[in-house]
Amino acid sequence: MVDFSLTEGDQRFLDLIQEEYELGRKFAREVDREAEHKPPVVKTLHPALEGKPDPYELLHESDEGTSGHIMVDALMHMVSAKDLDMRPEGLGFGSMVLEDFGTDEQKAKFGHLRLAIGLTEPGAGSDPGNMASTWRYDAATDEYVLNGEKVFISAINKLDGAVTLLRGVPDEQGRRVFSSFIITKDMKGFHEMQQFQKLGMHQFDIAGFTMDDIRVPAINRLEADFGRTMSRFNHNRPLVAAGALGLCRSMLDFTKAKLAEGGIEVDYARGVKARSAAEDKIIRMEALWEAAWGTVMEVKWKQTQLGTTSLGYRTEASMAKAIGGKAARQITQGCLELLGPEGLSEDYLAEKWFRDARIADIYEGAGEIQRILVARDVLGYKKGELN
Amino acid sequence: MISYELSEEQKIVRSTMSEFANTVLRPETRRLDDNSKIDDGVLSALWATEIIQSQADADGEGRSPVTNAIILEELAAADASLALAVASSMGFVQAIADQGSAKQRELLKAFAGPKFQAAAIAMMEPSFSFDVSKISAKASKAGDEYVLSGKKAYVPLASSCSHFLVIAESDGAADAFIVPRDAAGVKVEAPKGTLGLRALELAEVSFDGVKVPASMRLGEGNGADIQKIVDSARVGLASIMAGLSRGVLEYVVPYTKERIVHGTPLAQKQKVAFDIADMKIDIDAMRWMNWKAAWELESKLPATRTAQLAYTYASQQTMQIADNGLQAFGGHGFVKAHPIEMWYRNARSLSVLEGVAGV
Ligand SMILES: Cc1cc2nc3c(=O)[nH]c(=O)nc-3n(C[C@H](O)[C@H](O)[C@H](O)COP(=O)(O)OP(=O)(O)OC[C@H]3O[C@@H](n4cnc5c(N)ncnc54)[C@H](O)[C@@H]3O)c2cc1C
């Protein structure tokens, strides 16, 4: 049965996370101003959360009485803006790839590591085919030798290492085979670079690293080729959209509250000719928000049915990411337009949300890349027929 | 618990309606638009589906707005005018089944017959500043009756309607009155030619001092919740728009794959491919919004906000989808050899109507 009700269990988790996000909001401005100028520190539990259970941990321990943890996870991302990471860095994206595709032996050896995902290079982001970094096999020592540079790697300064996707040096047929490796920061030849200064998301660090003849044994090579490494995206892309929608929810609520103080209240009953331009704009932005919400929840429902490693929901995942990225841009831009000059002030978080939201349509596959994937599916085209 | 799972019955209804729409309705659409009339054969085929009749149960028992949203999308994927012909009578029947007194619901017995029974909600008015929140038609109470005056517009199949549910202002609030077409003072004008939805014979109906017994005020003594009628209409229209948009997408895909320009299929040009991706994304999003609003109606929850958002999104994106669809056909989109120009007209038409459907 089609159903959009939240269970009591769902609501309990939403309340918990909402409370945590609101606590974080008090420190948001300070962190936004300072994070990038302070040397990155290994993050510990924020004192404000002392003694409070981690809602995500609770959810994974027991999702009884809820719509299921995949669904609730997405709903939690959408309740409001997450301005601050207040808990120690969890397992990174790379750790999830290890979990999905590592052998038992690899999981036993590396499972405790917190691993970033290292894909992007200065000359290769959307197009991994352009990767210049390399791996080669050294038969003399039975080792793999890794070289090259990665950039924009999330949280690499706080994590233990990365799962990095590289291309082999050309084989006999001239092919450059993709392969993923587990590398750690203590390896000889690993050099972490300075973190990047950026438009927004200051609470969230990105940095690059170089690999200078890093030598790793065979056990560090994952049976995760390009497709497998990327398949985790199907789970994650809708969550990126969901996070952006959470931010937009805060932005819309703030904008509506401020307009209401000035006497502009949104009336959803009236038609288009009985409302002001400001009301109309809010309604159109909220409509886009709902459109994206429905799309995110549909793919999460499908993921629940099919299982996370299934490829059966990848087009829907791209659709969710594309509409979420669009919503993030249009809603934050539109709200600041409505808020006017007062919205530019650092006294409020609106200008921060405007800066933070912009990345949503870029990382984990930019909007254009998602549209290529959706269009290929609708049109029955393969890679090479539509790029 | 959030779920997008259709019931077995809904799956069957969807595939039956899809097949019916493609085989019976779709071949007729151009002809009906050209003739500006839905002929009896097509009306009978629509009636035989029993969609309208099945709405008549008291208090909406046994009726599912979610199922109706699915049905309207399927019908509209073939022809939006015909989907609206169904949704219009459906809106009338539902309003009375939902909000009518026992005596008023008796009227719905007439909908059990073998022939298409048109009836419509008369909401819109012939004014450039019309808004659902500003009704000009007036009903003033005089003893045991109301005297109704005003002019309504864009009433579907007006000349064949047995009844109108006329929305009029009474004592400072909107109210609804059941008025037989043959009551003294009711005048159905000749259908106006309209940009789109031509086969629906949209017409003005004037009410000139029409005497309506108080027993025909919807809900009798308590009056009716007009916003509920508006909400349901918005979801009905949004479902039809989702269907129309899907029809466009399904027509654009094969054409753009076959049409060669500058050495490659049109669909391999990113501008066109991205428009197609956006159509797919928006059509699905419209559907989920429609289901959510319909689910709220079905669960008897307040649905005004979600209905407004579903309607707003569908109105905006359907126009864009029809627009980009036409552009992808170039000159072939402008001529009548393809249905795109008709869908372009229908998209603009549907997205400005209010209060004329039910879900
Ligand atoms: C805050 C942040 C965190 C990040 N975290 C990580 C991380 O943890 N790990 C990691 O590996 N990377 C990470 N990235 C990198 C991110 O994934 C890339 O920036 C992104 O994939 C885009 O690649 P690019 O920057 O090289 O842009 P480009 O690939 O150069 O793209 C530039 C523009 O061209 C468009 N474009 C590209 N190809 C096409 C095409 N075929 N058709 C039409 N348009 C096209 C793109 O959509 C984009 O708009 C992060 C980036 C940021 C800013």
Side-chain angles (χ1 to χ4, degrees):
Chain A
M1 277 284 281
V2 171
D3 188 350
F4 290 94
S5 63
L6 299 181
T7 67
E8 274 177 36
D10 295 345
Q11 195 58 54
R12 194 177 72 240
F13 283 108
L14 298 188
D15 293 345
L16 272 179
I17 199 75
Q18 175 75 3
E19 191 188 329
E20 186 160 323
Y21 288 173
E22 270 164 27
L23 277 173
R25 206 150 293 145
K26 294 189 196 134
F27 308 97
R29 177 56 70 190
E30 174 193 333
V31 170
D32 180 69
R33 283 199 185 123
E34 292 179 11
E36 289 189 342
H37 308 289
K38 281 185 179 168
V41 284
V42 175
K43 204 154 38 76
T44 52
L45 185 70
H46 194 282
L49 291 186
E50 206 67 67
K52 291 195 192 297
D54 181 340
Y56 284 100
E57 246 168 51
L58 283 185
L59 177 65
H60 282 267
E61 279 162 21
S62 163
D63 59 23
E64 262 174 62
T66 70
S67 298
H69 77 253
I70 290 174
M71 305 280 273
V72 181
D73 185 7
L75 288 169
M76 284 162 79
H77 278 76
M78 293 190 277
V79 289
S80 69
K82 179 183 186 181
D83 285 299
L84 195 55
D85 261 317
M86 297 170 70
R87 295 186 179 277
E89 201 66 47
L91 296 172
F93 196 132
S95 301
M96 296 188 226
V97 176
L98 171 67
E99 201 176 293
D100 285 349
F101 303 113
T103 61
D104 289 344
E105 201 190 349
Q106 287 172 322
K107 286 185 204 171
K109 179 151 188 221
F110 303 117
H112 66 288
L113 295 173
R114 298 167 314 149
L115 300 169
I117 186 80
L119 307 174
T120 307
E121 298 182 3
S126 306
D127 182 7
N130 270 347
M131 281 185 187
S133 58
T134 57
W135 62 270
R136 76 181 163 80
Y137 180 62
D138 182 356
T141 59
D142 190 24
E143 284 174 322
Y144 292 91
V145 186
L146 318 180
N147 278 288
E149 179 181 354
K150 296 287 176 182
V151 289
F152 303 163
I153 308 307
S154 298
I156 184 72
N157 49 351
K158 292 175 191 151
L159 300 174
D160 303 314
V163 169
T164 190
L165 182 70
L166 306 172
R167 297 197 75 179
V169 294
D171 64 13
E172 301 90 71
Q173 285 97 43
R175 286 176 314 174
R176 297 191 53 208
V177 177
F178 282 101
S179 196
S180 287
F181 296 87
I182 294 169
I183 54 172
T184 52
K185 292 201 228 173
D186 54 11
M187 287 175 174
K188 188 161 173 286
F190 181 97
H191 305 287
E192 188 177 317
M193 299 189 296
Q194 264 207 322
Q195 61 169 323
F196 288 90
Q197 308 276 304
K198 52 197 182 317
L199 172 68
M201 298 285 265
H202 294 170
Q203 73 274 21
F204 175 97
D205 303 313
I206 56 173
F209 61 82
T210 55
M211 292 163 288
D212 189 5
D213 276 334
I214 295 183
R215 292 186 156 262
V216 296
I219 190 170
N220 287 54
R221 183 179 179 188
L222 282 171
E223 270 312 313
D225 57 7
F226 180 69
R228 290 184 122 188
T229 306
M230 305 300 270
S231 71
R232 252 285 159 183
F233 277 132
N234 300 331
H235 166 74
N236 244 45
R237 282 175 170 158
L239 290 182
V240 172
L245 291 175
L247 184 154
C248 290
R249 188 69 260 156
S250 292
M251 187 69 147
L252 283 164
D253 290 346
F254 177 80
T255 306
K256 282 165 76 176
K258 291 297 162 200
L259 292 184
E261 284 172 15
I264 303 171
E265 299 249 21
V266 180
D267 181 335
Y268 298 95
R270 289 191 295 225
V272 72
K273 262 175 290 192
R275 59 190 185 228
S276 65
E279 256 181 293
D280 187 66
K281 193 167 180 96
I282 293 271
I283 285 176
R284 286 177 197 280
M285 291 191 294
E286 290 205 293
L288 175 56
W289 193 94
E290 278 292 332
W293 184 95
T295 307
V296 167
M297 291 317 292
E298 198 264 346
V299 59
K300 287 291 159 183
W301 175 76
K302 205 161 182 196
Q303 180 184 346
T304 306
Q305 312 298 305
L306 298 174
T308 294
T309 52
S310 165
L311 295 179
Y313 63 96
R314 63 180 162 187
T315 300
E316 288 86 347
S318 286
M319 287 165 55
K321 176 68 170 59
I323 195 169
K326 173 166 109 174
R329 293 162 70 173
Q330 291 190 2
I331 293 173
T332 53
Q333 292 163 14
C335 284
L336 271 202
E337 184 186 2
L338 280 180
L339 289 166
E342 190 61 8
L344 308 178
S345 165
E346 287 188 9
D347 287 351
Y348 313 102
L349 291 176
E351 67 80 28
K352 171 183 174 295
W353 291 330
F354 171 80
R355 290 181 285 111
D356 287 353
R358 188 61 183 83
I359 191 61
D361 206 25
I362 297 172
Y363 61 9
E364 302 233 1
E368 290 76 10
I369 302 308
Q370 310 302 340
R371 284 173 177 79
I372 289 175
L373 296 174
V374 174
R376 274 187 200 153
D377 188 39
V378 174
L379 290 160
Y381 283 149
K382 293 188 293 291
K383 192 171 177 359
E385 292 175 302
L386 181 67
N387 293 303
Chain B
M1 167 141 23
I2 297 180
S3 171
Y4 287 69
E5 181 84 52
L6 297 182
S7 67
E8 283 313 308
E9 192 194 329
Q10 285 167 334
K11 285 182 196 163
I12 293 167
V13 169
R14 173 149 82 173
S15 65
T16 317
M17 283 301 142
S18 162
E19 163 143 20
F20 167 74
N22 283 324
T23 55
V24 180
L25 306 183
R26 184 61 169 271
E28 306 289 345
T29 71
R30 173 57 79 186
R31 188 175 62 80
L32 301 183
D33 184 72
D34 282 347
N35 295 349
S36 298
K37 189 165 180 53
I38 309 176
D39 42 37
D40 290 346
V42 176
L43 286 175
S44 301
L46 289 173
W47 192 249
T49 61
E50 299 197 347
I51 302 163
I52 297 166
Q53 300 90 308
S54 67
Q55 310 298 312
D57 296 343
D59 299 326
E61 287 302 321
R63 151 156 79 88
S64 161
V66 175
T67 306
N68 291 337
I70 294 166
I71 291 172
L72 292 178
E73 182 187 322
E74 293 306 326
L75 296 178
D79 189 297
S81 300
L82 296 176
L84 190 49
V86 170
S88 169
S89 284
M90 209 158 97
F92 175 91
V93 172
Q94 290 167 347
I96 291 174
D98 258 0
Q99 303 200 47
S101 64
K103 182 171 169 225
Q104 291 166 350
R105 289 201 302 267
E106 289 287 300
L107 285 173
L108 297 181
K109 292 213 170 108
F111 286 79
K115 276 196 64 185
F116 191 100
Q117 176 84 33
I121 298 166
M123 172 84 72
M124 290 171 283
E125 298 177 344
S127 153
F128 286 109
S129 56
F130 170 78
D131 189 88
V132 283
S133 62
K134 292 190 281 188
I135 302 287
S136 298
K138 295 267 180 298
S140 32
K141 185 134 197 224
D144 270 0
E145 51 186 33
Y146 287 83
V147 180
L148 176 66
S149 287
K151 204 163 197 191
K152 294 294 176 178
Y154 302 97
V155 179
L157 302 175
S159 63
S160 8
C161 281
S162 62
H163 290 82
F164 303 106
L165 184 66
V166 184
I167 312 300
E169 196 240 72
S170 169
D171 255 345
D175 229 325
F177 300 88
I178 304 165
V179 182
R181 188 212 125 94
D182 52 16
V186 175
K187 182 160 182 255
V188 178
E189 308 287 344
K192 288 206 177 189
T194 45
L195 170 72
L197 306 170
R198 295 181 68 81
L200 270 179
E201 300 184 69
L202 296 164
E204 288 182 3
V205 184
S206 50
F207 301 87
D208 186 9
V210 178
K211 296 202 165 89
V212 186
S215 63
M216 285 297 119
R217 175 186 181 216
L218 186 63
E220 294 202 43
N222 302 325
D225 181 349
I226 303 306
Q227 190 57 43
K228 248 174 106 172
I229 295 174
V230 173
D231 294 345
S232 175
R234 284 178 176 158
V235 183
L237 285 163
S239 303
I240 293 172
M241 290 190 264
L244 185 149
S245 297
R246 222 182 76 203
V248 173
L249 173 62
E250 286 165 4
Y251 200 77
V252 165
V253 166
Y255 182 84
T256 54
K257 286 181 76 174
E258 276 160 30
R259 178 87 178 162
I260 306 289
V261 288
H262 301 289
T264 73
L266 202 47
Q268 285 180 356
K269 311 290 180 200
Q270 264 195 6
K271 165 68 175 93
V272 175
F274 284 14
D275 282 353
I276 286 173
D278 280 323
M279 288 180 193
K280 168 75 178 152
I281 292 167
D282 281 331
I283 293 162
D284 281 13
M286 280 183 222
R287 180 181 313 116
W288 314 139
M289 292 173 90
N290 296 341
W291 285 12
K292 190 173 178 186
W295 170 83
E296 286 180 354
L297 290 169
E298 191 161 322
S299 311
K300 312 231 181 300
L301 295 166
T304 300
R305 180 174 177 277
T306 46
Q308 170 71 266
L309 299 182
Y311 171 75
T312 299
Y313 199 71
S315 301
Q316 188 181 283
Q317 301 313 117
T318 296
M319 190 65 254
Q320 189 176 325
I321 287 168
D323 185 39
N324 288 336
L326 194 150
Q327 190 69 13
F329 275 70
H332 299 271
F334 196 77
V335 299
K336 290 199 166 187
H338 289 284
I340 293 273
E341 63 78 29
M342 175 172 68
W343 293 337
Y344 181 71
R345 291 184 280 115
N346 287 348
R348 182 71 295 163
S349 308
L350 280 168
S351 53
V352 298
L353 299 182
E354 282 264 40
V356 75
V359 71

